[in-house]
Amino acid sequence: MMKDQSGYPKRSAKNDQDVVDQLNQSLEKFDVAISFETPHPSHFKEKIKIQRAESKKKRLRELLIFTVTAAVILSFLFFALYLQPEMFLLLQVLTVVFICCYTVHVKRKVKMSHE
Amino acid sequence: MDEKNLIKAAKKGDDGALAELFQSSYPFLLKYLLKLTFNLQNAEDLAQETYSKAIENLSRFKGTSKFSTWLISIATRLYLDQERKRKREFNWMKQEQSVRKLKWEAQSNNQVWDDVLEALGQLNDGLRVPVILKHYYGFSYEEIAAIISIPEGTVKSRVHKGIKVIRKELTPIDEGSVRISKTLSQE
């Protein structure tokens, strides 16, 4: 197993290298000491079959939800466009504002989680 | 069949080839997850979830890296997501308990559980994951940044901080007290 230690800060590098060596030794011993059973390929085959069937069901369900939601939203928009054009314009503006606010909110959240 | 051919066959829908890939990568993946979770049950559950994700996203695997490397990146993201949810539920005590349980199991089986593993277990996930990926599995800072979805500079500082914390944990108390007494005598 390759252990890449390049790009490591030079100051305190020696002490850190000692710690890294100790860490690798301990983890190698840990790897050797762990014992568990590796399942037979037939077990994985069975799991793959189940997973594929579940994914298919999930995709169909998502497609159905998407279609129904799209139909409801579109019919509402067309209804608003023909009967109340002001309402249609208001909806458009509100949607753009919502998307902008949501994007800023998500970006801030991601930034905070990284800090 | 070698790995590349197995991947090709799996992408074409050969479940046997995919099962073979999963079986050969299982020990590697489980050992990696065990180092993150310190809990065998949780590691096994995460391995199952990793395989589910791998089945879903197999068509997106380009084959530029090893199959096990790809699995590790999926597993890391799943683990970090799980921990984020756990933190929200204030389940930190469970992590503490699982470290103790694994330590007890290791010791009762005459296995190795030294100060280094103890110190590693005390590190938070934000530091432990980059340290293990960088120094034990040999990933580059760039690769780790892509796996954890954080800037490369943050990975570098976390790896450095992680090693610093472990070094501090490994420093004998006597050494620290000698340093303090020297400073006091100088004053």
Side-chain angles (χ1 to χ4, degrees):
Chain A
M1 197 177 293
M2 274 273 294
K3 269 115 199 171
D4 178 13
Q5 269 116 44
S6 61
Y8 211 71
K10 275 178 187 164
R11 65 194 156 76
S12 74
K14 187 165 184 321
N15 287 339
D16 285 357
Q17 192 56 53
D18 290 344
V19 176
V20 170
D21 290 342
Q22 267 180 286
L23 182 72
N24 285 334
Q25 274 174 13
S26 294
L27 288 175
E28 266 165 25
K29 280 183 202 161
F30 182 70
D31 267 353
V32 173
I34 297 167
S35 61
F36 54 84
E37 272 180 40
T38 305
H40 195 263
S42 60
H43 165 84
F44 287 109
K45 235 178 178 176
E46 192 59 35
K47 289 269 174 194
I48 291 165
K49 218 183 244 177
I50 294 167
Q51 181 61 32
R52 284 204 203 281
E54 271 178 19
S55 298
K56 202 176 172 185
K57 258 189 206 170
K58 198 179 152 193
R59 238 177 288 139
L60 280 173
R61 205 183 310 131
E62 277 171 5
L63 187 69
L64 187 74
I65 292 169
F66 175 79
T67 313
V68 171
T69 313
V72 169
I73 292 172
L74 278 176
S75 55
F76 181 72
L77 282 176
F78 281 124
F79 185 74
L81 178 65
Y82 285 109
L83 294 180
Q84 285 175 306
E86 304 86 15
M87 171 90 153
F88 177 77
L89 282 172
L90 184 72
L91 276 174
Q92 296 292 307
V93 172
L94 283 177
T95 309
V96 172
V97 171
F98 172 75
I99 290 170
C100 290
C101 291
Y102 186 74
T103 311
V104 169
H105 171 71
V106 169
K107 273 191 177 174
R108 206 176 284 168
K109 218 174 163 184
V110 171
K111 206 177 168 187
M112 273 170 70
S113 72
H114 285 170
E115 284 163 3
Chain B
M1 241 197 288
D2 71 333
E3 195 182 275
K4 275 191 179 172
N5 289 328
L6 281 172
I7 293 166
K8 263 187 197 171
K11 275 187 169 184
K12 281 178 188 165
D14 183 349
D15 287 354
L18 190 58
E20 216 175 297
L21 279 168
F22 283 173
Q23 201 217 13
S24 61
S25 61
Y26 187 77
F28 182 75
L29 181 67
L30 195 71
K31 281 175 183 178
Y32 171 67
L33 283 167
L34 210 47
K35 285 183 207 98
L36 299 188
T37 60
F38 289 109
N39 180 319
L40 187 60
Q41 185 58 49
N42 195 12
E44 281 174 344
D45 291 346
L46 277 168
Q48 293 293 341
E49 264 186 76
T50 305
Y51 286 138
S52 299
K53 285 267 173 204
I55 295 166
E56 274 177 38
N57 299 308
L58 188 66
S59 56
R60 288 186 211 159
F61 178 55
K62 290 169 193 162
T64 47
S65 62
K66 278 180 86 178
F67 190 70
S68 52
T69 306
W70 183 58
L71 288 178
I72 276 195
S73 62
I74 297 174
T76 308
R77 277 184 223 123
L78 283 173
Y79 170 69
L80 292 174
D81 281 349
Q82 187 195 61
E83 286 310 296
R84 251 174 244 137
K85 280 178 202 159
R86 232 183 231 185
K87 262 183 205 165
R88 262 183 248 142
E89 292 163 10
F90 298 101
N91 260 351
W92 57 271
M93 273 184 79
K94 274 190 183 170
Q95 168 76 12
E96 185 77 20
Q97 282 167 357
S98 60
V99 173
R100 256 185 249 149
K101 195 181 163 199
L102 194 73
K103 183 181 169 183
W104 183 82
E105 277 172 5
Q107 283 170 343
S108 60
N109 292 333
N110 290 326
Q111 289 173 1
V112 224
W113 190 276
D114 54 18
D115 293 344
V116 184
L117 288 178
E118 182 74 40
L120 192 69
Q122 299 302 323
L123 280 187
N124 67 45
D125 303 312
L127 300 179
R128 190 165 70 242
V129 174
V131 166
I132 293 175
L133 286 174
K134 173 72 189 161
H135 289 302
Y136 193 63
Y137 289 97
F139 282 87
S140 67
Y141 289 119
E142 198 185 347
E143 285 169 325
I144 301 170
I147 291 172
I148 317 180
S149 308
I150 56 173
E152 209 179 312
T154 313
V155 177
K156 276 184 192 173
S157 71
R158 284 189 187 180
V159 169
H160 185 56
K161 196 178 171 191
I163 292 296
K164 207 173 147 188
V165 173
I166 295 175
R167 192 176 61 199
K168 209 173 170 186
E169 289 284 323
L170 295 177
T171 309
I173 299 165
D174 292 349
E175 209 175 285
S177 57
V178 167
R179 253 187 247 140
I180 292 167
S181 59
K182 269 185 187 171
T183 322
L184 287 172
S185 64
Q186 278 169 358
E187 284 170 355

